[in-house]
Structure formats: C-alpha cells, structure tokens
C-alpha cells in the first residue's frame, strides 16, 4: 500500500503544471544570476567565478528559503487532500494502514519538493554554456562546471532542508487541518 500512495502522489503532481513552473522559476533565477551582473542572489560575487562551487552554494542556500514556500504547497496538498475532499473518514474505515498512507504521501511530497531545486543546476549549466557564446559575459568570469559541487549542495543543503521543513509543514497541516497554518 505504501508504494501505491507514493506513486499516486508523484503521478498526481507530475500531471499538473505547478512543479514545472517552480523548476522554470528557479532555472530563470539561476540563469540570470550567472549570465548577468544585474541579477544577484545572496549578494555580490566579487572575484569568484560566477559558477564556482561557493557561488552555487550561496544560490542554493538563499533559494532554499523560497523553496520552503514551494514545499508547503506539496506537503500541504499531500496532508490535506483527503480531508478537504471529505474522503478521510471513508479511507480510514478500510484496512489501510495509517503508516503506509502517511509515509507514502510524505515521501511523495518530499521528492516533489526537491525537484524544483534541479532548476538551479539547470540554470547555472545553461548560463555557463550560453552567456559566453552570446557575448553576455566574458569567458574568464566562468570556471568549469563542477558536477561534484552540484551533487554536494543537493545532498548537503536541499535534502535535509526539505526533509525537516517538510516534516514540520506536513505535521502542522495534518494536525490543524488548515492551509493557512501550514503556510504561516
């Protein structure tokens, strides 16, 4: 049953445009920050390459605060969907285990909350390729794209932030049955 709830959570969200809009927003912000001097995320870069691991870490940590708002949409929806549709009483009168239900929904929302962060890496990678070719940025302002830095920032910052923040949001939404409480 766990996998069924997990798969339904993923399929339901991936069929809607919200997740793709979030990925696009992050990709656009990261692309603009790398390709232009007019867009800054987390302050001025200085003499560091615009796609350096430190700069990428700053992008991810700053954008993770906005990511908590994105995550609230996924976790709130996962926690309150059956309650809002008044299906929770029917669902829990069946032999469905509550642990399978809640962990399937939570893990699905957790995966969905981390997907928009891939837009940051896509934006940095595209800006590294496109901006010097179009003359928007001098090639000496960019270093090599480091896949290891991308993986590290995802594992060190994105996953723990979304897990702990998502657990709190999921609990608040389920406990108080209120979208307003989970967003606040």
């Amino acid at each position: 049953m766990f996998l069924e709830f997990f798969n339904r959570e993923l399929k339901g969200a991936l069929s809607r445009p919200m997740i793709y809009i979030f990925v696009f927003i992050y990709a656009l912000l990261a692309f603009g920050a790398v390709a232009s001097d007019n867009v800054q995320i987390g302050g001025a870069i200085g003499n560091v390459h615009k796609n350096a691991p430190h700069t990428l870490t700053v992008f991810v940590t700053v954008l993770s605060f906005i990511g908590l708002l994105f995550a609230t949409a996924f976790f709130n929806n996962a926690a309150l969907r059956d309650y809002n549709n008044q299906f929770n009483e029917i669902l829990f009168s069946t032999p469905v285990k509550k642990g399978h239900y809640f962990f399937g929904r939570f893990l699905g929302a957790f995966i969905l909350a981390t997907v928009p962060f891939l837009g940051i890496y896509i934006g940095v990678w595209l800006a590294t390729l496109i901006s010097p070719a179009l003359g928007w940025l001098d090639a000496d302002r960019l270093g090599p794209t480091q896949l290891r830095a991308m993986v590290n920032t995802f594992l060190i910052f994105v996953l723990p932030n979304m897990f702990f923040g998502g657990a709190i949001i999921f609990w608040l939404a389920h406990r108080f049955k209120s979208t307003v409480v989970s967003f606040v």
Side-chain angles (χ1 to χ4, degrees), residues 4 9 15 19 29-30 41 57 67 71 87 101 113 117 125 137 151 180 184:
E4 188 165 332
E9 194 66 33
S15 66
I19 193 164
L29 284 171
I41 298 175
T57 302
F87 189 71
Y101 171 77
F117 284 91
W125 178 69
L137 192 64
V151 171
V180 173
V184 169

Side-chain angles (χ1 to χ4, degrees), residues 131-165:
S131 60
L134 295 177
W136 294 344
L137 192 64
D138 293 332
D140 60 345
R141 298 277 320 268
L142 298 170
T145 303
Q146 297 183 13
L147 182 62
R148 183 177 177 180
M150 293 181 179
V151 171
N152 283 343
T153 56
F154 191 80
L155 294 176
I156 292 171
F157 295 106
V158 173
L159 292 181
N161 285 346
M162 290 303 108
F163 181 79
F164 291 118

Side-chain angles (χ1 to χ4, degrees), residues 4 16 48-49 63 117 121 132-133 136 148 155 170 182:
E4 188 165 332
R16 292 188 211 103
V48 179
H49 286 138
L63 291 175
F117 284 91
Y121 307 112
W136 294 344
R148 183 177 177 180
L155 294 176
F170 191 85
S182 62

Side-chain angles (χ1 to χ4, degrees), residues 6-89:
F6 175 74
N7 288 333
R8 283 188 181 268
E9 194 66 33
L10 289 180
K11 287 179 187 175
L14 292 175
S15 66
R16 292 188 211 103
M18 181 172 65
I19 193 164
Y20 305 108
I21 292 170
F22 292 162
V23 170
F24 178 74
I25 289 169
Y26 269 166
L28 191 62
L29 284 171
F31 182 86
V34 173
S36 171
D37 289 329
N38 297 328
V39 179
Q40 293 181 4
I41 298 175
I45 293 174
N47 291 333
V48 179
H49 286 138
K50 292 189 74 105
N51 63 343
H54 172 71
T55 308
L56 184 65
T57 302
V58 169
F59 291 171
V60 169
T61 54
V62 169
L63 291 175
S64 67
F65 291 113
I66 298 170
L68 285 174
L69 292 174
F70 293 166
T72 303
F74 296 116
F75 285 106
N76 186 51
N77 185 31
L80 295 180
R81 184 180 314 116
D82 293 329
Y83 177 77
N84 289 339
N85 295 327
Q86 298 176 347
F87 189 71
N88 58 334
E89 293 174 10

